[in-house]
Amino acid sequence: MLIMMVLKKATAGFMVLLLMAGSLFVTREAEAAQAGKAERGEFVRQVVTALGLPLEDGASIKFKDVDKKLAPYVEAAVKAGLVHGRSATLFDTNGSLTREQAFVISARAAKTDKKYPMTLLDRFKDKKDFGASLRPEMAKSIGLGLMKGYSDGTAKPKKAVMKNEMHAIISRLVQLHAQYPGKGEEGVATVDFRVMGTTDIHTNLMNYDYYQDKPIQDYGLAKTGVLIDEARAEVKNTLLFDNGDLIQGTPLGSYKVKEKPLQKGEVHPSVAALNALDYDVMSLGNHEFNFGLDYLDKVIAGADFPILNANIYNESTGENQFTPYAVLDKKVTDTKGNAHSLKVGVIGVVAPGIMKWDGVHLKGKVRVEDAADTVEKFLPKVKEEGADIVFVIAHSGIGDENHEKNKDDVTWQISALDGVDGILTGHNHALFPGDFKDVKNVNIAQGTINGTPVVMPNRFGTHLGLLDYQLQLKNGKWTVVTGKGSVREVHKDSDAVNQNVVNAVKEAHEGTLSYIRTPVSKTSAPLTSYFGLVRDDSSIQIVTEAQKHYVEERLKGTEYEKLPLLSAGSPLKFGGRYGSDYYTDIPAGDITIKNLADLYVYDNTVAAVILTGKDIKEWLEMGAGAYRQVDPAESGEQNILNGDHRSYNFDVIDGVTYEIDITEPAKYDSKEGKVLNQDANRIKNLQYDGKPIDPEQEFAVITNNYRGSGNFPGVRDAKDVIFYQDENREAIIDYLAGLEQIEPFVDNNWFIQPVPGTKMIFETSVKGKGHIGDDSRILYLGETQDGYAKYELK
């Protein structure tokens, strides 16, 4: 598949072509790739492609070092008078390209009769290094503005051209070629073309945080809409795509499912927002399936644009469940103001993991094929329907060069396919270009992977992705001259919004505000986290209970159905770097949805980790790094909290019982989970069901996607991790909604062992004084500073 990378990638990502496995140029590939130097054959191939020179079969080429695949390009360059061989039989395909050679070839491509004086060479200190026979053409390249010197006044004509320099040279050449096309080429048209993209909006339509019940300025489609208006104003020819995960994620999404369910013929507010912004195409994300196929059909029906997916098939008929692709007839205007028709193909795919995440809605109804293989399958069909340029909207993460069947993250593989001109990707909730710098064949500066422009504009509408191209129409055929991917962040310092979005979602937004302010349950006692690091805590207990309740039903019918179910949680708000007010503190009485930002800070999703009793022990050992080691022989005050250990990394695991001995050293460091003391053993008397835990017994431990995908000791050795697509907060909402009133409790399944003769102290908010209750082990000692107080653990 990789060997088929082509011409159209030549000008969009020059630095990566010869780094790929199966490269056409193998003789000195490894050496050249390592050095980053451009080769003669590579340069000629890309120049011919960029200029759209006609290709024949290469039969006239007699150079022995030019293979059959390269021959048509060398032949075209020779016939155009751009290059000559080293001899009658040697072209030096894999030889390094010098600056002099590159600029001479470029000068020859600019078909102008204008004469440029040799005195132009005098501006360079090293003019004597120019080849005598090439000086007229070098003067021409200087006069045309192709060759630029260095700041030290030299031209360095014999210096090897690096691959990134080659990109700049060809870009200049293409611009000049349009000005000096030569005979018979006056019909060449150049078009600036832009594709804008959003992904993973997750019903963040307004710039509003429903959990905190306040406006914000750093995300929301109403904010992204401002960027869309600006980006459209900059380029005449644009399209706008969305990459799914649109209809779920905030209380607004829940509101349209549970409180005021979407009706047949009604337009979902997320779709209404896209309609208002004149989107051209959308592809389905994995969260579109959270509410079942019937609900999704109603969502799709309200769109004024095609909604695509190519890799989901109806289980009964074997046909595509959704529209697999679209070919848009786009009217474009060239740089001279002339109108043309450009046919734009778009293919949509989603991560196959939907069968695992939403199997309850999908199994027996649909099946999912590998996303990269599906794109490869449909590319010829899209081309057959006349597409001049093809984009893929892939709700799939970036991935890497390793391709496993039905892997969720396969943007890397899609970018390597011949015929794909650009990709809007997502799912990872990350930025590209920006993140993924270490992935093979990534060019952050150009926003390309394997030479193909790619954008991943984060999540929630924080960014807009831009795929920018220069296209050329010659002899009725469109070619990509240059292509680049980039992202733009919303204007955080402005309260400007897109009013069309605001108007489109007004009713749903106002309904959601009423929804989040309505009590979902009651609590008979306060829920606080003031002592979450030193004793079992009710604010953690309610989370672990809700998580367990969420997963119990979802494990039924799976291979893990009969495993013991445990649940992990941590004190997410515990002062520290955020100050003495940063604690969970929900008073007794009504609990509303917006209270959940206080109970569960992060927008994590639920995960189930399959591991053994031995792994659980290591997981708890890592969490126990939250404490400093106590010296039993020291009678003075000893601060027991480790300030370098984040409170969210202190996981309590409910369903087992254990004690923590902090006279032992910590086994792991607090930041990376590296072993500090191999023989350390802080976790004592670890039991399940009243008996010492079996190191080999398997358990399912409920946690969140952050923990499930991290490098946490114990978790990193897990047999399997199941990632669910609902947020932990949503799991808590559902749990609370089923309870008229909760009675906060703790099962005291863990405690810090007392150390007689010592004075173990710690700091938490002074407000904690009122929540000690009848706990005889905690003693208030007095206020310290900045709202904190000192306490003793007996």
Coordinates of all heavy atoms in Angstrom, one line a residue, residues 268-309:
H268 N -32.4 18.2 15.4 CA -31.6 18.2 16.6 C -30.8 19.5 16.7 O -30.3 20.0 15.7 CB -30.6 17.0 16.5 CG -29.9 16.7 17.8 ND1 -28.8 17.5 18.3 CD2 -30.1 15.7 18.8 CE1 -28.4 17.0 19.4 NE2 -29.2 16.0 19.8
P269 N -30.7 20.1 17.9 CA -30.0 21.4 18.0 C -28.6 21.3 17.4 O -28.1 22.3 16.9 CB -30.0 21.7 19.5 CG -30.4 20.4 20.2 CD -31.2 19.6 19.2
S270 N -27.9 20.2 17.6 CA -26.5 20.1 17.1 C -26.5 20.2 15.5 O -25.7 20.9 14.9 CB -25.8 18.8 17.5 OG -25.6 18.8 18.9
V271 N -27.5 19.6 14.9 CA -27.6 19.6 13.5 C -28.1 21.0 13.0 O -27.6 21.6 12.0 CB -28.5 18.5 13.0 CG1 -28.8 18.7 11.5 CG2 -27.9 17.2 13.2
A272 N -29.0 21.6 13.8 CA -29.4 22.9 13.5 C -28.3 23.9 13.5 O -28.2 24.8 12.7 CB -30.5 23.4 14.5
A273 N -27.3 23.8 14.4 CA -26.2 24.6 14.5 C -25.3 24.5 13.2 O -24.8 25.5 12.7 CB -25.4 24.4 15.7
L274 N -25.1 23.2 12.8 CA -24.3 23.0 11.6 C -25.1 23.6 10.3 O -24.4 24.1 9.4 CB -24.1 21.5 11.4 CG -22.7 21.0 12.0 CD1 -22.6 21.3 13.5 CD2 -22.6 19.5 11.7
N275 N -26.4 23.4 10.3 CA -27.2 24.0 9.2 C -27.0 25.5 9.2 O -26.8 26.1 8.1 CB -28.6 23.7 9.4 CG -29.0 22.2 9.1 OD1 -28.2 21.5 8.4 ND2 -30.1 21.8 9.6
A276 N -27.0 26.1 10.3 CA -26.8 27.6 10.4 C -25.5 28.1 9.9 O -25.3 29.2 9.5 CB -27.1 28.0 11.8
L277 N -24.5 27.2 10.0 CA -23.1 27.6 9.6 C -22.8 27.1 8.2 O -21.7 27.3 7.7 CB -22.1 27.0 10.5 CG -22.0 27.6 11.9 CD1 -21.1 26.8 12.9 CD2 -21.4 29.1 11.8
D278 N -23.8 26.5 7.5 CA -23.7 26.1 6.1 C -22.6 25.1 5.9 O -21.7 25.1 5.1 CB -23.4 27.3 5.2 CG -24.6 28.2 5.1 OD1 -25.7 27.7 5.1 OD2 -24.4 29.4 5.0
Y279 N -22.6 24.0 6.8 CA -21.7 22.9 6.6 C -22.0 22.2 5.3 O -23.2 22.1 4.9 CB -21.8 21.9 7.8 CG -20.9 22.3 8.9 CD1 -21.2 23.3 9.8 CD2 -19.8 21.5 9.2 CE1 -20.4 23.7 10.9 CE2 -19.0 21.8 10.3 CZ -19.3 22.9 11.1 OH -18.5 23.2 12.2
D280 N -21.0 21.6 4.7 CA -21.1 20.9 3.4 C -21.2 19.4 3.6 O -22.0 18.8 2.8 CB -19.9 21.2 2.5 CG -19.9 22.7 2.1 OD1 -20.7 23.1 1.3 OD2 -19.1 23.5 2.7
V281 N -20.5 18.9 4.6 CA -20.5 17.4 4.8 C -20.3 17.1 6.3 O -19.5 17.9 6.9 CB -19.5 16.7 4.0 CG1 -19.5 15.2 4.2 CG2 -19.6 17.0 2.5
M282 N -20.8 16.1 6.8 CA -20.5 15.6 8.1 C -20.3 14.1 8.0 O -20.9 13.4 7.2 CB -21.6 15.9 9.1 CG -21.4 15.2 10.5 SD -22.8 15.4 11.6 CE -22.5 14.2 12.9
S283 N -19.4 13.5 8.8 CA -19.2 12.1 8.9 C -19.5 11.7 10.4 O -19.3 12.4 11.3 CB -17.8 11.7 8.6 OG -17.7 10.2 8.5
L284 N -20.1 10.5 10.6 CA -20.5 10.0 11.9 C -19.3 9.7 12.8 O -18.3 9.1 12.4 CB -21.4 8.8 11.8 CG -22.7 9.0 11.0 CD1 -23.4 7.7 10.8 CD2 -23.6 10.0 11.7
G285 N -19.4 10.1 14.1 CA -18.4 9.7 15.1 C -19.0 8.6 15.9 O -20.1 8.2 15.8
N286 N -18.2 8.0 16.8 CA -18.6 6.9 17.6 C -19.8 7.2 18.6 O -20.7 6.4 18.8 CB -17.5 6.3 18.4 CG -16.7 7.3 19.2 OD1 -15.9 8.1 18.7 ND2 -16.9 7.2 20.5
H287 N -19.8 8.5 19.0 CA -20.8 8.9 20.0 C -22.2 9.1 19.3 O -23.2 9.2 20.1 CB -20.4 10.1 20.8 CG -19.5 9.9 21.9 ND1 -19.9 9.3 23.1 CD2 -18.1 10.1 22.0 CE1 -18.8 9.2 23.9 NE2 -17.8 9.6 23.2
E288 N -22.2 9.1 18.0 CA -23.5 9.2 17.4 C -24.4 7.9 17.6 O -25.6 7.9 17.4 CB -23.3 9.4 15.9 CG -23.4 10.9 15.4 CD -22.2 11.7 16.0 OE1 -21.1 11.5 15.6 OE2 -22.5 12.6 16.8
F289 N -23.7 6.9 18.0 CA -24.4 5.6 18.2 C -24.8 5.3 19.7 O -25.4 4.3 20.0 CB -23.5 4.4 17.7 CG -23.2 4.6 16.2 CD1 -22.0 5.2 15.8 CD2 -24.1 4.1 15.3 CE1 -21.7 5.4 14.5 CE2 -23.8 4.3 13.9 CZ -22.6 4.9 13.5
N290 N -24.5 6.3 20.5 CA -24.8 6.1 22.0 C -26.3 5.9 22.3 O -26.7 5.3 23.3 CB -24.4 7.3 22.8 CG -22.9 7.4 22.9 OD1 -22.3 8.4 23.4 ND2 -22.1 6.4 22.5
F291 N -27.2 6.4 21.4 CA -28.6 6.4 21.7 C -29.4 5.5 20.7 O -30.6 5.5 20.7 CB -29.2 7.8 21.7 CG -28.3 8.8 22.4 CD1 -27.8 9.9 21.8 CD2 -28.1 8.6 23.8 CE1 -27.0 10.8 22.5 CE2 -27.3 9.5 24.5 CZ -26.7 10.6 23.9
G292 N -28.7 4.7 20.0 CA -29.3 3.7 19.1 C -29.5 4.2 17.7 O -29.4 5.4 17.4
L293 N -29.8 3.3 16.8 CA -29.9 3.6 15.4 C -31.2 4.4 15.0 O -31.2 5.2 14.1 CB -29.9 2.3 14.5 CG -28.5 1.6 14.6 CD1 -28.6 0.2 13.9 CD2 -27.4 2.4 13.9
D294 N -32.3 4.1 15.7 CA -33.5 4.8 15.4 C -33.3 6.3 15.8 O -33.8 7.2 15.0 CB -34.7 4.3 16.2 CG -35.1 2.9 15.7 OD1 -34.7 2.5 14.6 OD2 -35.7 2.1 16.5
Y295 N -32.7 6.6 16.9 CA -32.5 8.0 17.3 C -31.6 8.7 16.3 O -31.8 9.8 15.8 CB -31.8 8.0 18.7 CG -31.7 9.4 19.3 CD1 -32.7 10.0 20.0 CD2 -30.6 10.2 19.0 CE1 -32.6 11.3 20.5 CE2 -30.4 11.5 19.6 CZ -31.5 12.0 20.3 OH -31.3 13.3 20.8
L296 N -30.5 7.9 15.8 CA -29.6 8.5 14.9 C -30.3 8.8 13.5 O -30.0 9.8 12.9 CB -28.4 7.5 14.7 CG -27.3 8.0 13.7 CD1 -26.8 9.3 14.0 CD2 -26.2 6.9 13.7
D297 N -31.2 7.9 13.1 CA -31.9 8.2 11.9 C -32.7 9.5 11.9 O -32.7 10.3 11.0 CB -32.9 7.1 11.6 CG -32.2 5.8 11.1 OD1 -31.0 5.9 10.7 OD2 -32.8 4.7 11.2
K298 N -33.2 9.8 13.1 CA -33.9 11.1 13.3 C -33.0 12.3 13.2 O -33.3 13.4 12.7 CB -34.7 11.1 14.6 CG -36.0 10.2 14.5 CD -36.8 10.3 15.8 CE -36.2 9.5 16.9 NZ -37.2 9.4 18.1
V299 N -31.8 12.1 13.8 CA -30.8 13.1 13.7 C -30.4 13.4 12.3 O -30.3 14.6 11.8 CB -29.5 12.7 14.6 CG1 -28.4 13.7 14.3 CG2 -29.9 12.7 16.0
I300 N -30.1 12.4 11.5 CA -29.6 12.5 10.2 C -30.7 13.2 9.3 O -30.3 14.0 8.4 CB -29.2 11.2 9.6 CG1 -28.0 10.6 10.3 CG2 -29.0 11.2 8.1 CD1 -27.6 9.2 9.9
A301 N -31.9 12.9 9.5 CA -33.0 13.4 8.7 C -33.1 15.0 8.8 O -33.6 15.6 7.8 CB -34.3 12.8 9.1
G302 N -32.6 15.6 9.8 CA -32.7 17.0 9.9 C -31.5 17.8 9.3 O -31.6 19.0 9.3
A303 N -30.6 17.1 8.7 CA -29.4 17.8 8.1 C -29.7 18.3 6.7 O -30.3 17.7 5.9 CB -28.2 16.9 8.1
D304 N -29.1 19.5 6.4 CA -29.2 20.1 5.1 C -28.0 19.7 4.3 O -27.7 20.3 3.2 CB -29.2 21.6 5.2 CG -30.5 22.1 5.8 OD1 -31.5 21.4 5.9 OD2 -30.5 23.3 6.3
F305 N -27.2 18.8 4.7 CA -26.0 18.4 4.1 C -25.9 16.8 4.2 O -26.5 16.2 5.1 CB -24.8 19.0 4.8 CG -24.9 19.0 6.2 CD1 -24.4 17.9 7.0 CD2 -25.4 20.0 7.0 CE1 -24.5 17.8 8.3 CE2 -25.5 20.0 8.4 CZ -25.1 18.9 9.0
P306 N -25.1 16.2 3.4 CA -24.9 14.7 3.5 C -24.2 14.4 4.8 O -23.2 15.0 5.1 CB -24.1 14.3 2.2 CG -23.5 15.6 1.8 CD -24.4 16.7 2.2
I307 N -24.6 13.3 5.4 CA -24.0 12.7 6.6 C -23.5 11.3 6.2 O -24.3 10.5 5.8 CB -24.9 12.7 7.8 CG1 -25.2 14.1 8.2 CG2 -24.2 11.9 9.0 CD1 -26.1 14.2 9.5
L308 N -22.2 11.1 6.3 CA -21.6 9.9 5.7 C -21.1 8.9 6.7 O -20.7 9.2 7.8 CB -20.4 10.4 4.9 CG -20.6 11.5 3.9 CD1 -19.2 11.8 3.2 CD2 -21.6 11.2 2.8
N309 N -21.0 7.7 6.2 CA -20.2 6.6 6.8 C -20.1 5.5 5.8 O -21.1 5.0 5.3 CB -20.7 6.1 8.1 CG -19.9 4.9 8.6 OD1 -20.1 3.8 8.2 ND2 -18.9 5.2 9.4

